Amino acid sequence: MGHASAALPVIDLASPDIGAATKSIRQALVDYGFFYVINHGIDDALMKSVYAESASFFQQPMEEKMALHKNSSHRGYIPPDFEGFEADAGGKGDLLECFHIGSGVDGDSKNPVNQWPPAERFPYWKETMKSYYQCAMGTSKRILSLIALSLDLDAEFFKPDGSETILRPIHYSGRAIESKHGSDHGANAHTDYGMLTLLSTDGTPGLQICRDKDGRPQLWEDVHHIDGALVVNIGDLLERWTNNVYRSTLHRVLMVGKERYSVAFFVWPSPDMMVTCIESCCSEANPPRSSSNNI
């Protein structure tokens, strides 16, 4: 694709050497804001089931999908061209479609706001997505514990329990969609908002990162697929929490003329967490940033 490749670190979550893994994660988040994880505990068979269920839903006619259009809690189906993240892109939307599944997947929520495709046509969708949500949450907690240790915090410091964490199956058609602005981007350049993102892809290329978001011209690097690995990045909230020591990196997805499926998992902290500058990230030389700069 004519771009340099990002040499992202690979973190083995099964490694008994916690110190080495913690050091690697710290370096990854200072240098890239992105890394891969292997031995992450999400079963390959479950991953394949998620992709199969995702494909069966997105292959439906638009009117069938729109019957589950996102509700006021942003759960459900989101059609292409509705999500424009790039402030200077002339208002372009993203050429992707996706489905949002949030907390309360266990059915214990007092306010069940998730939407589900009809069980008679999608008998395995709900259970498959619930299983993936729970496994991805477990993986996220393991990663967050390493991030906490890398910041000289207690391993349990970042608590995603009860948060508005979102599971998001995504489909890129691979073909240009009629847009008044035109775009070769499946997802325009953006940073993620929250604490942590786990990404699984089907191997189709297109994901790129830009380490210097203020640089001109922007230099983009390809993030290649590694079989069995997840791509992990942090969001604006964790960048802010670490006083910009760790970076929330600009990224995008280019259309490469091929259909593409991916599964994102956006992790937020518990709603009662107080976000203040982490002690190991501030000093006289790097004082806490002004609260007026809140994200």
Side-chain angles (χ1 to χ4, degrees):
M1 291 166 54
H3 293 89
S5 296
L8 301 182
V10 178
I11 311 296
D12 184 352
L13 292 186
S15 171
D17 191 343
I18 300 298
T22 299
K23 187 176 179 182
S24 295
I25 276 191
R26 181 176 181 85
Q27 199 62 50
L29 294 180
V30 168
D31 291 345
Y32 289 98
F34 271 73
F35 54 91
Y36 299 102
V37 290
I38 58 173
N39 294 318
H40 44 69
I42 300 178
D43 184 69
D44 187 55
L46 174 58
M47 196 78 80
K48 287 177 178 172
S49 295
V50 169
Y51 279 101
E53 293 297 322
S54 177
S56 67
F57 177 82
F58 289 124
Q59 286 166 7
Q60 295 182 105
M62 181 57 76
E63 58 269 22
E64 297 286 343
K65 293 182 284 192
M66 288 299 286
L68 291 172
H69 189 243
K70 68 176 181 181
N71 56 27
S72 59
S73 298
H74 289 268
R75 310 292 176 82
Y77 176 68
I78 301 174
D81 212 33
F82 272 48
E83 295 199 355
F85 294 112
E86 195 171 351
D88 60 352
K92 288 198 296 254
D94 290 335
L95 304 186
L96 60 82
E97 56 182 344
C98 60
F99 199 98
H100 281 193
I101 301 161
S103 58
V105 292
D106 294 327
D108 55 2
S109 171
K110 294 189 174 80
N111 182 27
V113 294
N114 283 314
Q115 300 194 77
W116 305 105
E120 61 272 16
R121 279 189 289 139
F122 297 91
Y124 307 112
W125 168 280
K126 184 176 181 179
E127 286 307 314
T128 299
M129 296 301 170
K130 282 173 62 174
S131 294
Y132 188 86
Y133 192 105
Q134 290 154 357
C135 288
M137 183 61 84
T139 300
S140 301
K141 288 179 178 179
R142 289 160 67 193
I143 296 167
L144 286 168
S145 71
L146 291 173
I147 292 175
L149 293 171
S150 80
L151 295 163
D152 299 327
L153 298 167
D154 183 84
E156 304 302 313
F157 179 84
F158 295 111
K159 298 179 295 183
D161 297 305
S163 70
E164 284 304 305
T165 292
I166 292 289
L167 170 59
R168 186 194 217 199
I170 305 168
H171 174 235
Y172 304 83
S173 71
R175 63 184 184 276
I177 296 174
E178 192 68 32
S179 166
K180 62 179 184 248
H181 298 287
S183 177
D184 63 350
H185 297 174
N188 282 313
H190 66 284
T191 56
D192 293 346
Y193 304 130
M195 188 162 63
L196 189 76
T197 304
L198 307 188
L199 180 72
S200 165
T201 79
D202 64 359
T204 304
L207 178 62
Q208 297 183 323
I209 64 172
C210 175
R211 286 192 271 171
D212 183 3
K213 58 184 97 170
D214 299 318
R216 293 295 181 271
Q218 290 178 332
L219 300 176
W220 291 92
E221 299 172 90
D222 293 324
V223 176
H224 290 298
H225 176 78
I226 297 178
D227 284 342
L230 297 174
V231 177
V232 181
N233 65 281
I234 65 165
D236 299 340
L237 178 62
L238 195 51
E239 178 181 83
R240 173 71 192 192
W241 219 332
T242 62
N243 208 29
N244 291 34
V245 172
Y246 289 175
R247 61 169 66 192
S248 175
T249 299
L250 200 63
H251 52 286
R252 68 186 185 186
V253 176
L254 293 188
M255 304 287 268
V256 294
K258 285 180 65 179
E259 190 174 32
R260 184 179 192 270
Y261 286 91
S262 62
V263 183
F265 191 70
F266 300 104
V267 186
W268 288 80
S270 299
D272 59 353
M273 281 288 284
M274 181 67 72
V275 179
T276 58
C277 183
I278 291 168
E279 191 174 337
S280 65
C281 298
C282 56
S283 62
E284 278 190 38
N286 187 28
R289 310 223 162 196
S290 167
S291 59
S292 63
N293 293 331
N294 280 343
I295 55 172

